[in-house]
């Protein structure tokens, strides 16, 4: 509603345009605080590894469902880690530029030119975040079983074996799950044994 006049009807979800304008910066503060909690919980799983680089090099195989030759990966794959770090960066940019353009509290602290630049960067970061979210949602629907994993917090042993085998093995070593429940590795068609 704040981005373009054609979307102003969305402000009715908050009662009016003035309510939307008043709430928007405070929702930004809530976004930063809630994401900070998520960041603290998840950052340890999102450091880049050589396996992530190799996995990303085979993204075509991932997209076509041929994941047999990919390296074993942990709780998150390279694409998921990119989403995590992009969201971290974009939320920080949105918050920083939001402070610059929050006239009520910080208007006197920044020049008009800084505020104009803040508006442009804030809008571009919002568009980039929207695109990241759209791709993330699409990927969730694209990989069967992912939506239930995100909404229920559980995956089957077979799903974990196929997509996050290293994580499955780590969980089995910790005794969280029994690795024997995962399906055996599929053999390619070849001579009868």
């Amino acid at each position: 509603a704040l981005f373009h006049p054609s979307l102003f009807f969305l402000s009715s979800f908050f009662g009016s345009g003035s309510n939307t304008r008043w709430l928007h910066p405070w929702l930004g503060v809530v976004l930063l605080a809630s994401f900070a909690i998520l960041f603290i919980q998840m950052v340890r799983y999102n450091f880049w590894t050589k396996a992530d680089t190799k996995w990303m090099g085979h993204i075509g195989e991932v997209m076509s469902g041929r994941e047999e030759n990919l390296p074993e990966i942990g709780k998150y794959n390279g694409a998921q880690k990119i989403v995590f770090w992009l969201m971290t960066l974009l939320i920080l940019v949105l918050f920083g530029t939001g402070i610059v353009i929050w006239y009520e509290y910080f208007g006197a602290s920044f020049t008009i030119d800084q505020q104009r630049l803040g508006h442009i960067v804030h809008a571009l970061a919002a568009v980039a975040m929207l695109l990241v979210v759209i791709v993330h949602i699409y990927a969730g629907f694209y990989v069967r079983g992912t939506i239930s994993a995100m909404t229920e917090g559980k995956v089957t042993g077979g799903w974990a074996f196929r997509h996050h085998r290293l994580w499955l093995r780590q969980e089995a070593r910790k005794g969280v799950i029994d690795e024997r429940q995962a399906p055996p590795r599929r053999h390619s068609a070849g001579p009868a044994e």
Side-chain angles (χ1 to χ4, degrees), residues 2-155:
L2 299 174
F3 192 72
H4 194 272
S6 66
L7 300 173
F8 185 75
F9 71 93
L10 294 171
S11 66
S12 64
F13 289 114
F14 299 103
S16 67
S18 59
N19 283 350
T20 301
R21 177 67 188 96
W22 175 83
L23 282 170
H24 181 83
W26 291 108
L27 291 175
V29 172
V30 171
L31 171 68
L32 180 71
S34 59
F35 190 81
I37 293 167
L38 180 73
F39 182 88
I40 291 166
Q41 292 173 339
M42 306 306 252
V43 68
R44 69 177 179 257
Y45 303 115
N46 285 283
F47 292 113
W48 199 261
T49 66
K50 289 179 184 178
D52 295 317
T53 302
K54 187 174 179 184
W55 188 90
M56 290 299 294
H58 294 276
I59 196 72
E61 292 177 52
V62 173
M63 297 299 291
S64 64
R66 298 186 321 261
E67 300 180 48
E68 301 81 30
N69 299 320
L70 294 175
E72 290 188 359
I73 55 170
K75 188 168 185 169
Y76 299 110
N77 61 44
Q80 292 167 317
K81 290 178 181 181
I82 288 172
V83 167
F84 176 83
W85 290 109
L86 279 174
M87 292 301 282
T88 300
L89 174 66
L90 291 169
I91 287 171
L92 290 174
V93 168
L94 284 169
F95 187 75
T97 56
I99 293 293
V100 172
I101 62 177
W102 198 350
Y103 305 115
E104 185 178 358
Y105 295 105
F106 305 102
S109 302
F110 300 97
T111 67
I112 296 294
D113 288 337
Q114 290 171 329
Q115 291 172 356
R116 288 176 180 160
L117 180 61
H119 274 287
I120 293 168
V121 174
H122 195 78
L124 291 173
V127 169
M129 179 181 267
L130 182 63
L131 293 174
V132 170
V133 168
I134 289 169
V135 168
H136 181 58
I137 290 169
Y138 175 77
F141 282 106
Y142 187 81
V143 179
R144 198 173 81 189
T146 301
I147 296 297
S148 62
M150 290 190 295
T151 58
E152 299 171 16
K154 299 177 190 174
V155 297

Side-chain angles (χ1 to χ4, degrees), residues 67-72 161 165 169 179 182-188 193:
E67 300 180 48
E68 301 81 30
N69 299 320
L70 294 175
E72 290 188 359
F161 186 83
R165 196 168 299 150
R169 294 185 198 290
E179 188 176 13
R185 184 184 293 259
R186 288 186 181 165
H187 297 288
S188 59
E193 298 181 56

